[in-house]
Amino acid sequence: MTTLLAVAVVGWGLTHLGKALAERQDSVAALTNKAAQVAGELAQREQELAHANAQLAAIRAQARAEATYPTVEDVDPLATGEN
């Protein structure tokens, strides 16, 4: 009788342990899926950022190419010695 009771208690414990393990596995699977989703979103944002940085670099290069800088004559007309 004691052996039967011990087997029943162990069986009950293993059943509950199995249920808890299954719940944990479900939680881990859900977290893994969420992590994969977040990683995908991050990769998309990184691509958008890289594209925006490339556009900004092109705009800066164009601005530098079109910029005019004052010459010495613009700043100091007497520097030419024409007076």
Side-chain angles (χ1 to χ4, degrees):
M1 183 72 171
T2 306
T3 304
L4 183 59
L5 182 59
V7 168
V9 169
V10 169
W12 177 83
L14 289 175
T15 300
H16 285 282
L17 183 61
K19 287 180 182 178
L21 180 59
E23 290 173 3
R24 296 286 181 192
Q25 287 175 335
D26 290 344
S27 295
V28 168
L31 288 173
T32 301
N33 289 340
K34 183 65 177 177
Q37 178 186 359
V38 169
E41 292 172 3
L42 178 61
Q44 180 181 356
R45 298 291 185 266
E46 286 175 339
Q47 285 180 339
E48 291 170 359
L49 181 59
H51 179 69
N53 281 337
Q55 287 179 324
L56 180 59
I59 290 168
R60 285 180 174 164
Q62 182 179 0
R64 277 189 217 105
E66 294 174 357
T68 57
Y69 299 98
T71 63
V72 172
E73 291 80 15
D74 293 334
V75 176
D76 184 9
L78 298 178
T80 59
E82 294 179 4
N83 281 350

